[in-house]
Amino acid sequence: MRTRSFRIDERRRSYLRLVSEIKHVLAQALAEEQERRGLTMAEMARILEVDRSHISRKLSGETNMTLETLADLAYALDRPVQISLLPRPVRHDVNHGADTSPGKPA
């Protein structure tokens, strides 16, 4: 029996890392708010006027999360969302976009 090779390209890997980081940050914020003020998923659901299962599915990653959902969850947690796109560290072992035309120093 032949096994299938399942390869994830860099674009998909980037997306999966982002989703994982968002889920982690939301879970951590919920845990902190549970400890600080007793906030539960049921209370978040009440604040957002949705079912508790909706909150659970979003936090577990069971269903896709939109930016609107992220904003709603942050609202229920009473926390602002901060977004940054960080520059990639310079890798000296890779020559990205270098001009290798004749007469140009490498």
Side-chain angles (χ1 to χ4, degrees):
M1 178 175 226
R2 184 185 280 186
T3 59
R4 288 191 174 171
S5 173
F6 184 71
R7 297 187 64 200
I8 299 174
D9 66 12
E10 192 57 35
R11 180 178 175 186
R12 180 71 178 169
R13 190 179 342 265
S14 176
Y15 166 75
L16 294 172
R17 276 193 300 264
L18 175 63
V19 170
S20 177
E21 183 177 349
I22 290 169
K23 288 189 320 184
H24 173 74
V25 167
L26 284 168
Q28 183 177 2
L30 177 56
E32 290 169 3
E33 293 303 321
Q34 282 175 331
E35 186 173 316
R36 186 173 77 82
R37 61 184 169 123
L39 183 70
T40 63
M41 281 194 261
E43 180 64 13
M44 289 177 68
R46 187 193 65 71
I47 292 167
L48 298 176
E49 300 177 344
V50 297
D51 292 332
R52 183 198 171 282
S53 63
H54 173 82
I55 303 296
S56 178
R57 286 192 310 271
K58 296 302 180 179
L59 293 176
S60 72
E62 188 177 318
T63 61
N64 193 24
M65 185 179 313
T66 64
L67 292 175
E68 183 176 15
T69 302
L70 174 58
D72 283 346
L73 294 173
Y75 173 79
L77 289 163
D78 193 27
R79 294 196 174 201
V81 175
Q82 182 178 352
I83 305 293
S84 14
L85 293 172
L86 305 173
R88 286 220 182 262
V90 176
R91 288 183 50 192
H92 298 287
D93 62 330
V94 177
N95 206 359
H96 290 290
D99 186 353
T100 55
S101 312
K104 296 279 186 173

